[in-house]
Amino acid sequence: MQMEQAAKADVTILDEPTAVSILLLIDKRGEARAFDLRQIAGGYDRMKNLTKRMESIGLLKIRIEEKPRLTYLYSLTPKGKKVAAKLMEIDEIIRSP
């Protein structure tokens, strides 16, 4: 039981398969709709759980617009922007010769 808890403690949001793609998409666009993120995450439930988790650790803000129809909009917090910038730096290092 303690081993399982220790293993869970080592898991970060970046271990989630689509977390990086979601962060970078929102950073690029400034704001993204649930529809866009659902396509990246591979389904609504997975996207909702992941974005709620990202919101709880301070990476995302979730805004709801009710008109003309109910729409969830996601944007990065200052902390989320820092993380996205670091991820882009890492990507540049990987792509460089």
Side-chain angles (χ1 to χ4, degrees), residues 8 10 18 35:
K8 284 183 181 179
D10 292 337
T18 57
F35 176 80

Side-chain angles (χ1 to χ4, degrees), residues 17-75:
T18 57
V20 170
S21 297
I22 286 174
L23 284 169
L24 294 178
L25 176 78
I26 296 170
D27 185 58
K28 182 179 179 180
R29 292 186 179 179
E31 192 170 65
R33 297 173 301 142
F35 176 80
D36 303 318
L37 302 183
R38 185 176 66 217
Q39 290 182 320
I40 291 172
Y44 179 77
D45 289 336
R46 177 179 275 161
M47 180 274 307
K48 187 170 181 176
N49 292 335
L50 181 57
T51 55
K52 283 288 188 188
R53 191 166 159 214
M54 293 169 107
E55 180 186 41
S56 74
I57 59 174
L59 298 177
L60 293 181
K61 289 183 281 186
I62 302 172
R63 184 168 60 89
I64 301 170
E65 284 188 355
E66 294 184 12
K67 294 187 180 188
R69 65 177 217 217
L70 187 65
T71 304
Y72 288 81
L73 299 166
Y74 300 83
S75 59

